[in-house]
Every structure is written in structure tokens, then in C-alpha cells.
Amino acid sequence: MVASQVTDSSFANIPGPVHGGDWQGAVERYGWQPDEIFDFSANINPLGVPESVLEVLQSNLKAVERYPDPACRQLKKALATYLELEPEMIIAANGAVELIYLFCQTYKPRRVLVVEPTFGEYRHAARVCGAEVVDIKLKPAAGFVLDLVCWQKKLAGVELAFLCNPNNPTGQLLEADLLQALVATCQKQGVFLLIDESFLDFVPGWRQITCAPEAVNGKGVFIIRSLTKIFALPGLRLGFGIASPEIIRVLENRRQPWSVNILAQMAGVAALADDNYLKASRELIRQEKEYLYQELASLKGLNPFYPEVNYILTDISASGWTAPRLANALAREKILIRDCSSFVGLGPGFIRTAVRGRQANEKLLTALQFYL
């Protein structure tokens, strides 16, 4: 089915992705208050919103009486400084997901490649735009490592390929040589590559890892990033994209006006200037990731995969539990985890848990010890 044949009835037959962070569902089902819940299902910075951002928001609430800047000029300047790029190489967005859909709707690829398991919005955005989706299914037994030869073969006839780096939900970062080979293969075969780097800010030395240089040089690469994970702002929705000025202009002309609200723009400017918060975040994640990973690995029947970021994918198939049953049991303890049954290539034997602060991590581990 080509894009011109997509109808409203077609959309009804395309199931939407399942996500974590459904605290409202837990409130309705169990009667908890939001601040009672330990939410490990959403991969958000455990430090919470930076104080610098809260101060800006609290002192500018009346700004909602004004329209936001449709060009996001101050935010783009702040992003340009943070990224060491020019503002015309950046597009701001209402979360990184807006850019996934905007890109697909703008370029209307007919055949799209997705590496699974990964973020469900890639497949959904492609299908909504009428594209055929082909996939590469990474194998748990092989550590979810992407094979270059398989990638090269699957690119035949593909117009757009998605990569998530670090990948969600596996938490893995592509080796530098492999990433460059994947990019080079796409360039050689004329395949546009969209790389989701939404969790890259959690990785020390991210500037040496990002594919932003390939994107701004017009080499068929579009980078999307998120500010909601690293700065704990999922409720404001804030993300951005990186590409050549030519691609940015095309996308800007196709987007809806005022998609980034005025408070989100202010929050982004304040957050990007808070270097101390970023340093403290990466150190906290480093410590708690090691602690949580080692403790999960010590529990009978659990096989966690070592991550590079702030969440851990765990194989629980040897525990005698399924992910839906375990998620329901923990929810009664006011703990939410990500049941990974909805991820293509995983199924009911896998869960994902965010890395949080020590008190929350200990509560999760105590509950798991009780049930396992």
C-alpha cells in the first residue's frame, strides 16, 4: 500500500505502540496517589527536574498568556551552544516522537527498515504513512548485537532505515566501527538513515559517539534527540533534530506551528545551561546502574543485560514468572516496571527497569526477592 492509498480505515487497523510511564493507569486501577508510585517503567533521570528549571517555570507561569516563539530561536541558540553546531542545523520539537512522524510524513518512504527489539514508534510511524516495514530481529542469545552483513542484505529496496543508539529497550551502544560501517552502507546504497540518540546524553563522552557530524554534512543522516529523559521533563515534551540546513528547512516548512510551548522552550534553555546537573546525573546513573545490575544478576532466575544507559533489560524466563504476571504483582506494591511483551522480538520473558536512586532501587530489589 503506497502513501496515497492510506485512509482513515487503514489507521484503525494499525495498533499503536505500548509505552511505559502509565502512572495514570495505575492510579485508576489501584487507587494510589501519583507520588506514592515507584515508577521503573519510564526511563527518566532519577535526580528529577533541575532546580534551575523549576525556578524558571515558577517565575514565568504568566508567560502562557503569550504565544510561544514558532521558530524557537532562544532554544535553538541554547541547543547550538550545547551541541557546538549552528542554529540552522537544528529543529526543536514537541518531543523526539514528533520528529519521527514529521520525517515519515514529509518524505513518505515506501519501504522502511527497523532493527527489533526497539522503540515501537518507528514501526508505527512508518505504517501510518503507508510504508512497508521490514525488520532485523536481534537475538538475545547473541547479546542483541547487530550483524553488518545482515544489515547490508536487508537494505535492498529500503528508502529509510531506523537505528536507536543507545537502543531502547536493550540499553546497548553500537561499537564505533560498526556504527560507521552502518552509516557508510546506507550512504552507498542511497538509504536515508534516521538515528535516535534520545538516551545518548546519559553516556559519558557522548560527543565522540554522536553521528551529528554526518547529519549536518548532508550525508543522508537525520539525528533525533530528547531533552525529556536527561532533564526529567516528560510532561513538557521537548526534543530536537539535527541535520543539514537544507533538510531542516524542509522539515520546518512541513511542521505544525507552535508545537513547542512557551514553558517548554524556557525550560530547555535553563536546563542546557546547568552543567552541574548533567555531571551529577551521569555520576548518579553510573553508581546506581552498577548497583542495580549486580543485584539483579544475583537474583535466582534473572539474567540482566549490561546497559550503557539508565535502564536495564532483564530476561526473567528462568524465574517461573511471565512479565505480565510479575508486573501485576509489583504494581500491587506500588512499583511499576516495563512489561516487554509488546516489543517485537522479546515477548513475555523480558522486563525493563529504569535506574533510579538508591532508596527506590532497594525497594524494587526487596519486592523482587519476595516474589522470586
Side-chain angles (χ1 to χ4, degrees):
M1 179 172 59
V2 297
S4 60
Q5 295 174 315
V6 177
T7 65
D8 289 341
S9 60
S10 302
F11 298 155
N13 296 322
I14 302 176
V18 176
H19 298 297
D22 184 19
W23 60 268
Q24 185 63 52
V27 167
E28 293 178 357
R29 182 172 182 180
Y30 300 103
W32 312 136
Q33 294 301 310
D35 57 4
E36 293 182 282
I37 298 171
F38 290 82
D39 191 355
F40 286 84
S41 71
N43 307 320
I44 305 303
N45 191 330
L47 276 186
V49 183
E51 287 297 323
S52 57
V53 172
L54 290 176
E55 291 172 4
V56 166
L57 294 177
Q58 290 166 354
S59 60
N60 286 280
L61 288 177
K62 283 186 66 64
V64 298
E65 296 175 349
R66 305 193 302 271
Y67 277 99
D69 175 12
C72 300
R73 280 165 284 202
Q74 293 303 313
L75 177 58
K76 286 176 110 176
K77 286 180 182 178
L79 283 166
T81 299
Y82 178 70
L83 298 166
E84 300 177 357
L85 298 174
E86 297 301 321
E88 59 265 27
M89 300 170 176
I90 302 165
I91 181 171
N94 182 30
V97 167
E98 180 191 7
L99 295 175
I100 296 172
Y101 284 83
L102 177 63
F103 192 90
C104 287
Q105 291 162 1
T106 298
Y107 289 97
K108 294 182 172 59
R110 291 168 294 183
R111 186 177 172 90
V112 171
L113 176 62
V114 179
V115 179
E116 306 278 10
T118 196
F119 188 43
E121 296 292 349
Y122 311 146
R123 175 182 288 272
H124 191 251
R127 293 185 65 193
V128 164
C129 290
E132 176 191 359
V133 178
V134 296
D135 61 22
I136 296 174
K137 290 187 175 63
L138 304 179
K139 299 178 181 179
F144 298 106
V145 175
L146 177 58
D147 180 71
L148 177 60
V149 174
C150 182
W151 171 265
Q152 293 169 335
K153 291 179 180 178
K154 285 282 188 173
L155 283 180
V158 165
E159 295 179 345
L160 172 65
F162 282 97
L163 271 182
C164 188
N165 192 43
N167 190 35
N168 176 20
T170 64
Q172 293 180 318
L173 196 64
L174 290 165
E175 294 287 342
D177 290 346
L178 174 59
L179 178 57
Q180 290 304 313
L182 298 173
V183 173
T185 302
C186 284
Q187 293 169 345
K188 182 178 180 180
Q189 298 192 27
V191 177
F192 213 109
L193 179 60
L194 191 155
I195 305 178
D196 186 347
E197 296 180 349
S198 288
F199 290 96
L200 195 60
D201 290 286
F202 290 98
V203 179
W206 65 265
R207 294 182 188 278
Q208 285 70 52
I209 301 170
T210 179
C211 281
E214 288 78 8
V216 300
N217 288 330
K219 296 182 179 179
V221 177
F222 181 48
I223 304 295
I224 60 173
R225 298 275 288 269
S226 171
L227 294 177
T228 61
K229 279 82 173 175
I230 188 64
F231 293 114
L233 296 168
L236 274 184
R237 311 304 307 134
L238 190 58
F240 61 94
I242 303 170
S244 67
E246 293 76 16
I247 291 174
I248 295 297
R249 284 195 294 271
V250 170
L251 295 174
E252 291 278 19
N253 287 334
R254 292 296 300 270
R255 68 178 306 167
Q256 296 182 23
W258 307 301
S259 71
V260 184
N261 73 71
I262 195 166
L263 293 180
Q265 292 186 35
M266 291 179 176
V269 172
L272 289 162
D274 200 333
D275 289 335
N276 290 333
Y277 174 89
L278 288 169
K279 291 177 183 177
S281 298
R282 292 175 184 131
E283 178 58 21
L284 175 64
I285 293 297
R286 185 191 67 80
Q287 293 178 359
E288 291 304 313
K289 176 183 69 175
E290 294 293 335
Y291 169 74
L292 186 57
Y293 171 80
Q294 295 297 337
E295 293 298 317
L296 288 172
S298 71
L299 295 178
K300 185 178 180 180
L302 300 192
N303 178 30
F305 293 85
Y306 188 81
E308 299 294 335
V309 282
N310 63 321
Y311 49 89
I312 302 174
L313 179 70
T314 301
D315 182 349
I316 66 168
S317 56
S319 70
W321 286 80
T322 64
R325 285 182 58 232
L326 185 58
N328 286 334
L330 292 175
R332 291 193 288 271
E333 308 293 332
K334 303 180 183 178
I335 298 171
L336 303 183
I337 61 171
R338 180 64 159 91
D339 167 7
C340 291
S341 299
S342 62
F343 282 99
V344 175
L346 289 184
F350 292 85
I351 63 170
R352 189 193 66 199
T353 51
V355 174
R356 299 195 49 172
R358 182 59 57 94
Q359 181 182 4
N361 291 336
E362 288 177 343
K363 184 174 178 63
L364 170 65
L365 291 166
T366 298
L368 286 172
Q369 289 169 351
F370 174 80
Y371 285 108
L372 297 176

